Amino acid sequence: MAYAELKLKLKLKLYSPYLIVLVLSLSLVIIQGRLSTNFYASTCPCVFPIVKEGIKEATMNDSRVAASLLRLHFHDCFVNGCDGSILLDDGPNITSEKTAVPNNQSARGFEVVDNIKARVEKACPGVVSCADILAIIARDSVVHYGGPTWEVRLGRRDSLTANRSAANQFIPPPSLNLSGLVSNFQNQGLSFKDMVVLSGAHTVGFARCVSYRPHIYNDSNIDPTFAQSLQATCPGQTGVNDTILQPLDLQTRFCFDNNYYQNLLVKKGLLHSDQQLYNGNTTSDSLVKKYATNQCQFFKDFAKSIVKMGNIKPLTGNNGEIRLNCRKPN
Ligand code: HEM
């Protein structure tokens, strides 16, 4: 055996325990940092039927609530990652995100999450995080309205704190122009296309007068008859009828379809930010046209992008905790 070969063999023998430790810890980092679709396969498989049933029951009393729940997942993920922080109430060391401007008097569905969480806790105590429950709820809400389905990646843990100022900073307001929307999503590692396709969630649910008032009074890229009809119940004066609701998708508010994009083509987006997606930018306009004419493509791309959104900075491994009550840390 050559001298060099012998030296290498000796070295490998000497260092092999260290190499094994290195490989093991590297794979642990990879496993810990990754979400997986079978995370609760052995510890809580019934989380799926429990969430499905919870959505079914909640929507019997309130058809809108599944839209509100879908939005909660988005507002959770955009504030320091998908960590259930939006669910925390004010507490001794917690300044709740619920009263941040984008959520105040607007975010809803928290009781439904509480109900589902209580049932999951009964079935598998201390196992399933609130952040994961929100991600499953978002998928089942879309399915409830007839939209696409996808495999939810799981294994997130819950934050110990909330961050109201980050909620104000990172959740996009409806006043943003296209470039603002794009950079807001890019801050979260999401692309231009992710932004356009995820905005398609506005195929369900409602907005308050205070959110669409600037668009119906100040903007010119709106169908005049549509603007007039909205002005009838949402007066121009700030503070008057602020909470009057209008559907984000006029025709099919409880149906997850591509009608949102068809409305944009005829300048019937409800929010300033909605109509920005079809306002003369070649890239955005062509995506809107594609989704308006091809619902199947919209469904496929939406599923892909919402999984990507659900991957934003999850807490895994020993970080965070599995909250027992989504409203407060353990
Ligand atoms: C692109 C940037 C976005 C902006 C500027 C935006 C803004 C808004 C605003 C202002 C409202 C109405 C709130 C109110 O008046 O109470 C709303 C509602 C809603 N948003 Fe968004 N949103 C965006 C993206 C998204 C995304 C990515 C999702 C989900 C994936 C989403 C889901 C919803 C849903 C479902 C509603 C209706 C909620 C309900 O009826 O309770 N939005 N959004």
Side-chain angles (χ1 to χ4, degrees):
M1 192 182 294
Y3 175 68
E5 205 178 326
L6 188 70
K7 211 170 148 191
L8 183 71
K9 268 198 168 168
L10 264 172
K11 260 190 183 167
L12 273 178
K13 206 170 178 187
L14 200 67
Y15 291 120
S16 61
Y18 301 105
L19 277 174
I20 290 170
V21 170
L22 186 72
V23 168
L24 278 179
S25 44
L26 268 177
S27 44
L28 202 65
V29 167
I30 291 167
I31 290 165
Q32 283 189 342
R34 278 250 186 108
L35 303 178
S36 68
T37 54
N38 61 356
F39 194 79
Y40 298 114
S42 60
T43 52
C44 196
C46 60
V47 63
F48 298 107
I50 293 174
V51 171
K52 198 171 166 194
E53 185 58 27
I55 300 286
K56 194 175 151 196
E57 277 177 29
T59 48
M60 282 198 275
N61 307 318
D62 175 5
S63 318
R64 177 190 174 194
V65 80
S68 312
L69 290 163
L70 168 61
R71 186 170 180 237
L72 286 187
H73 181 45
F74 163 50
H75 284 203
D76 183 30
C77 292
F78 268 49
V79 183
N80 299 334
C82 315
D83 59 0
S85 59
I86 193 176
L87 303 173
L88 290 170
D89 283 339
D90 273 328
N93 296 310
I94 308 257
T95 310
S96 176
E97 293 166 18
K98 293 179 184 179
T99 43
V101 175
N103 295 329
N104 201 21
Q105 321 249 11
S106 177
R108 56 198 292 283
F110 298 108
E111 302 74 19
V112 178
V113 181
D114 291 340
N115 244 318
I116 290 174
K117 172 68 171 173
R119 290 182 200 181
V120 173
E121 277 306 302
K122 224 173 179 182
C124 342
V127 170
V128 185
S129 67
C130 298
D132 275 351
I133 288 179
L134 263 192
I136 306 171
I137 285 178
R139 190 267 313 271
D140 287 359
S141 294
V142 169
V143 170
H144 167 79
Y145 291 126
T149 192
W150 59 90
E151 286 217 86
V152 183
R153 297 181 146 269
L154 300 163
R156 301 168 189 81
R157 290 166 66 83
D158 297 321
S159 69
L160 304 171
T161 57
N163 192 335
R164 184 189 290 162
S165 56
N168 281 321
Q169 189 183 345
F170 295 116
I171 298 171
S175 55
L176 289 182
N177 291 337
L178 185 68
S179 59
L181 292 166
V182 174
S183 58
N184 177 280
F185 273 62
Q186 272 170 356
N187 275 339
Q188 304 286 351
L190 298 176
S191 68
F192 194 126
K193 183 176 165 189
D194 292 324
M195 189 278 290
V196 174
V197 75
L198 288 172
S199 297
H202 289 178
T203 176
V204 290
F206 294 78
R208 293 161 304 151
C209 164
V210 67
S211 302
Y212 59 81
R213 180 182 281 127
H215 183 49
I216 65 172
Y217 285 98
N218 308 337
D219 289 349
S220 54
N221 60 349
I222 181 168
D223 175 278
T225 321
F226 178 59
Q228 265 173 23
S229 71
L230 293 166
Q231 287 168 5
T233 51
C234 176
Q237 219 178 330
T238 314
V240 184
N241 279 7
D242 278 1
T243 56
I244 288 276
L245 295 174
Q246 286 295 338
L248 285 154
D249 168 0
L250 193 60
Q251 295 86 4
T252 57
R253 58 203 69 177
F254 297 129
C255 183
F256 197 102
D257 56 15
N258 64 345
N259 206 61
Y260 166 79
Y261 296 103
Q262 292 171 11
N263 283 333
L264 298 184
L265 295 183
V266 292
K267 296 195 179 166
K268 287 186 180 172
L270 183 65
L271 304 175
H272 171 82
S273 50
D274 290 328
Q275 199 57 56
Q276 283 295 302
L277 307 187
Y278 191 74
N279 196 38
N281 175 284
T282 324
T283 317
S284 191
D285 287 2
S286 66
L287 281 169
V288 169
K289 278 189 208 149
K290 181 164 81 175
Y291 295 140
T293 49
N294 189 344
Q295 177 161 284
C296 198
Q297 192 66 51
F298 166 48
F299 279 14
K300 257 195 200 160
D301 291 354
F302 185 87
K304 233 180 170 177
S305 292
I306 201 162
V307 169
K308 201 168 155 192
M309 184 181 91
N311 282 336
I312 299 174
K313 289 202 293 197
L315 293 172
T316 54
N318 294 322
N319 296 316
E321 64 180 9
I322 305 297
R323 248 180 255 151
L324 300 176
N325 173 346
C326 295
R327 291 178 183 267
K328 52 179 194 189
N330 296 340

